[in-house]
Every structure is written in C-alpha cells, then in structure tokens.
Amino acid sequence: ESIKIWAFGGSTTQGNICGKNSSSWTTEITKINNNINIHNFGESGIDSEKSLYYLRENILKKKVPKMVIWAHKVNEINIIYQGVKPNNETTKYFISNQRERKLKYTVQKLDVTLKSNFLSYKILENFILSLSRKLIRSFGKEHINKNLTYEDFEYASIHYKINVSKAIKLSKENGIEKFILLSLPTRSDYEKKMKNLFFPHYYERVKELDKDDYVSFIDISAHPKVMNDKNLFCDEIHKTLLGNVAVAEILNEYLVKN
C-alpha cells in the first residue's frame, strides 16, 4: 500500500524553475520509491500562512494523507516586506508590553477598516503588494534590505511558528499520522548570507516545534551531499534536476528508515 503524503512549500517545492528539465523533489522521490504517493501543494512566492489555508481547505474535503511534509523556510521573510493581516497571536507573542501591543493592534485593525471601505486604498495596496512581490522574486542582493533588523527576522520566525503550530494541530485532530518539517538546501553563498540574518531565528523556532514527538525535523541543507555543490542550483535557492534528485534521495532514505 502506498504512503500518501502532502507536501507544502514555496517555489523550491513547486519545482521546475531551472528550465524544462529541472523537475521537483516531489516528482523525483516518486520515481525512486513507488510506495510514495505525494501531492505537491508547493507554489511560487507563498509562505506558511498560505499553506495553512491550503491544508485547512483540503482537510475539509476529508481526504487526509498519512503524512505532511512542511518545507517552508526562505519565503518566511516575505512578511517583512509585504505585511500581514492583523494577527493578535503574533503581536502578543512579539510585543510583551500590553500597552504597546494594544496600540499596535489598534493600528492594524484601522488598516483593515480602511481596506474594507475605500476602493482607492485597496487599489493602492494591491499595486504595492504586487510590486513588492516582483522585487523580491529575483533573490539577488536586493532581496535583503540593509535596513532590516534583528527584530524583523525574529518577527518573521514567530509568524512562521504560529502558522506551523496551527498546521500541526489541524493535522493531529484529523488523523494525519506524522508532520515533518523539512529544511531544503540553498546555495552556499545564500546560506552564508542568511547565516546571521533569518536562519538562526528559523532554527530556533524549529527547535521549539520539534519538541513535540508528533513532529520530525529533517535538515537536508546540512547534508554533505548537497553542501558546496553549485551544480545542484541554477540560482541562490532553486534546484536543478541534479539538485532535486539529491534532495529526493536523502529524503527517501530517511522515510525508509523511519
């Protein structure tokens, strides 16, 4: 009997970014292991908040998998550039001072009120959001604004943790047997760039989430097979066919053993 898996992530999970033969790790793992039936929910540019929506939407259809693989990482800093819907949980977690938190949340609610009532505001907001998405997709030097602070990256990681915690809870409640957090590899220069920016916060949140026995963490980015091999990437984060095959082989080895 095949193992049904749902995979969530951004463009590095969606795949097929590095030309017509680049493939995806989800496709390659099914070629290696005929016992795996994987549905790829990966979508270019999205973060964990959108995948949480997809997870909830598909669970409602009562066709749950045996396992969820959650491969979000790089796109989690999108929130810094694009903003987020008012999320009292994130604000409460991040801003300990109650008075400051109340003011922050009031401003967020006012922002939503404006969006709900003024067409011109909506048009302007959509234009800015669209423009910001285009600007960050190149994943070049402009992807990381020099004015970003420690707190910006920490906030993004907390937003990630809250979304993942909700996804884990949903999975448990609906009979999904296992939830895997997957850290996909990026090119060595990008790893170096993010080493003192977002990645430390990401790993701290993953460490907190991994305390749950229901959750497993697989860090493929630290595997010797994918480190310092530029042939596996066509840019800083997207994998070639060889890169996707390498990820699939490492992940399959873990799944077979466990």
Side-chain angles (χ1 to χ4, degrees), residues 16-52:
N16 299 296
I17 302 295
C18 299
K20 61 181 181 180
N21 296 318
S22 60
S23 190
S24 67
W25 62 264
T26 59
T27 297
E28 295 307 314
I29 198 170
T30 59
K31 293 178 182 178
I32 296 169
N33 192 333
N34 293 328
N35 293 322
I36 290 178
N37 174 14
I38 190 162
H39 186 103
N40 188 349
F41 289 94
E43 183 180 319
S44 182
I46 70 168
D47 57 23
S48 56
E49 185 167 3
K50 187 64 177 287
S51 283
L52 174 61

Side-chain angles (χ1 to χ4, degrees), residues 1-245:
E1 186 181 353
S2 64
I3 301 171
K4 187 177 179 182
I5 299 173
W6 286 355
F8 296 88
S11 58
T12 55
T13 294
Q14 174 187 297
N16 299 296
I17 302 295
C18 299
K20 61 181 181 180
N21 296 318
S22 60
S23 190
S24 67
W25 62 264
T26 59
T27 297
E28 295 307 314
I29 198 170
T30 59
K31 293 178 182 178
I32 296 169
N33 192 333
N34 293 328
N35 293 322
I36 290 178
N37 174 14
I38 190 162
H39 186 103
N40 188 349
F41 289 94
E43 183 180 319
S44 182
I46 70 168
D47 57 23
S48 56
E49 185 167 3
K50 187 64 177 287
S51 283
L52 174 61
Y53 169 79
Y54 287 153
L55 176 65
R56 185 181 290 114
E57 184 182 54
N58 282 276
I59 281 177
L60 289 173
K61 296 175 183 177
K62 306 296 182 184
K63 296 180 180 180
V64 298
K66 186 182 184 71
M67 183 186 303
V68 163
I69 297 179
W70 200 267
H72 281 291
K73 184 178 179 181
V74 173
N75 287 347
E76 294 308 305
I77 66 172
N78 286 3
I79 182 179
I80 301 171
Y81 295 90
Q82 299 169 4
V84 66
K85 295 176 184 178
N87 185 333
N88 199 26
E89 280 185 79
T90 312
T91 309
K92 184 177 180 180
Y93 196 114
F94 191 71
I95 305 173
S96 57
N97 183 284
Q98 187 176 2
R99 191 172 177 182
E100 184 183 351
R101 184 169 68 243
K102 187 175 180 180
L103 176 61
K104 173 76 173 178
Y105 195 53
T106 300
V107 170
Q108 288 181 325
K109 286 197 292 185
L110 175 61
D111 182 55
V112 168
T113 302
L114 287 169
K115 291 174 187 177
S116 301
N117 292 287
F118 295 99
L119 180 60
S120 59
Y121 190 100
K122 284 186 176 181
I123 293 171
L124 179 61
E125 182 211 17
N126 289 334
F127 171 75
I128 293 171
L129 180 60
S130 175
L131 180 61
S132 66
R133 285 184 183 275
K134 289 177 182 177
L135 286 173
I136 69 171
R137 278 195 182 169
S138 63
F139 292 98
K141 292 180 180 179
E142 68 276 7
H143 183 49
I144 306 298
N145 190 303
K146 291 180 181 179
N147 294 322
L148 295 182
T149 65
Y150 176 95
E151 286 76 17
D152 289 323
F153 293 112
E154 184 182 19
Y155 185 86
S157 74
I158 290 168
H159 184 252
Y160 163 80
K161 181 184 175 182
I162 289 172
N163 288 331
V164 180
S165 296
K166 290 178 180 178
I168 291 169
K169 186 172 183 290
L170 265 174
S171 299
K172 281 183 180 179
E173 291 173 346
N174 288 277
I176 298 171
E177 294 182 20
K178 194 67 178 174
F179 196 100
I180 292 178
L181 296 173
L182 181 65
S183 174
L184 293 171
T186 53
R187 206 169 62 189
S188 57
D189 53 346
Y190 190 79
E191 289 280 342
K192 185 177 180 181
K193 180 164 60 178
M194 296 298 282
K195 185 177 180 181
N196 298 315
L197 299 175
F198 177 67
F199 284 0
H201 298 289
Y202 164 81
Y203 283 111
E204 188 62 32
R205 301 292 84 79
V206 166
K207 185 178 178 181
E208 293 164 1
L209 292 162
D210 194 30
K211 290 178 181 178
D212 188 337
D213 292 337
Y214 178 72
V215 177
S216 293
F217 176 51
I218 306 174
D219 189 6
I220 294 181
S221 63
H223 197 284
K225 192 170 185 177
V226 298
M227 292 178 70
N228 302 318
D229 191 341
K230 293 186 178 181
N231 292 326
L232 303 180
F233 303 92
C234 64
D235 58 27
E236 288 183 325
I237 69 166
H238 296 111
K239 296 174 290 299
T240 61
L241 174 60
L242 290 175
N244 282 298
V245 169

